[in-house]
Amino acid sequence: TPAHVFGIYKVILRNGAFSFSTLQLGLCFIGFTLWNQIGPDITERLLAHSARYFGATALAVGVAYLLGTVTNRLLVSATSDRQRLWGSNVAFALGALTISLSGAHINLLFIVSGVMLCAFSQGVVFPNILSRSLSFFPDRAGIAASLLGFGMLIVGSGGLALARLIEIHSGVIVAALYGSLCAAAILSLMLNPHERRVAH
């Protein structure tokens, strides 16, 4: 019945670890799609390259994300999910730092390399947060997955809409976007009740 279904929703959404994991997935969604939003503006408007040129950079970023997921699969048996999550956030921070090397100019070598490193880190993060989130409700995995996906898209869409309001004219601004995203991801991981329980 509707009352039963909404009762299950209520139980799931009241779980703090699940809510923070949903936020983390939303931030991850922004992390690996942000370049698709700001990249055309940088490559086509500021640097006067073709749409095909942007497509090549987007492909490189997508391959980096794929390599992140493959790397995560290789590390599963040798590391804990906590180690993978924190290690990937270090890679995320290094990506933002690489982008900042562009400085006040638009240097695509630094920017795209940094974005690729950020995308790689999100390829590691995403499957770990997803599996961790669904493990909270093994008997209600279908409903949990639906709420997780819905929440991720709400957070992701809101974040991308805000990013669209920022005018990009230097590598510093791109680095600030990814750096802020990295800081939010680290903070949400630290505040996640599940993470604190695992740490102790």
Side-chain angles (χ1 to χ4, degrees), residues 180-193:
S180 299
L181 196 57
C182 179
I186 292 173
L187 185 61
S188 64
L189 180 60
M190 291 174 62
L191 294 176
N192 192 318

Side-chain angles (χ1 to χ4, degrees), residues 35-117:
W35 180 248
N36 291 338
Q37 179 160 293
I38 66 174
D41 197 41
I42 293 172
T43 58
E44 296 175 39
R45 183 180 67 84
L46 296 179
L47 300 178
H49 290 301
S50 66
R52 180 178 295 180
Y53 187 94
F54 163 72
T57 66
L59 178 61
V61 172
V63 169
Y65 177 81
L66 174 63
L67 291 176
T69 63
V70 172
T71 300
N72 176 70
R73 178 67 187 89
L74 296 175
L75 293 175
V76 164
S77 59
T79 59
S80 67
D81 67 333
R82 186 168 190 268
Q83 290 173 319
R84 293 191 298 277
L85 288 174
W86 282 106
S88 64
N89 277 312
V90 170
F92 198 173
L94 289 175
L97 183 62
T98 301
I99 295 171
S100 72
L101 296 177
S102 180
H105 306 287
I106 296 292
N107 185 316
L108 277 184
L109 176 62
F110 290 130
I111 292 176
V112 175
S113 296
V115 170
M116 288 176 67
L117 189 51

Side-chain angles (χ1 to χ4, degrees), residues 85-172:
L85 288 174
W86 282 106
S88 64
N89 277 312
V90 170
F92 198 173
L94 289 175
L97 183 62
T98 301
I99 295 171
S100 72
L101 296 177
S102 180
H105 306 287
I106 296 292
N107 185 316
L108 277 184
L109 176 62
F110 290 130
I111 292 176
V112 175
S113 296
V115 170
M116 288 176 67
L117 189 51
C118 291
F120 174 87
S121 74
Q122 299 313 294
V124 177
V125 167
F126 193 88
N128 287 288
I129 295 294
L130 181 62
S131 61
R132 173 191 279 192
S133 304
L134 296 180
S135 71
F136 299 148
F137 302 99
D139 57 331
R140 299 166 177 166
I143 294 177
S146 298
L147 290 173
L148 198 62
F150 178 73
M152 178 189 74
L153 290 175
I154 292 295
V155 173
S157 299
L160 291 171
L162 289 175
R164 190 63 189 163
L165 299 176
I166 300 173
E167 183 180 350
I168 296 174
H169 50 76
S170 71
V172 171

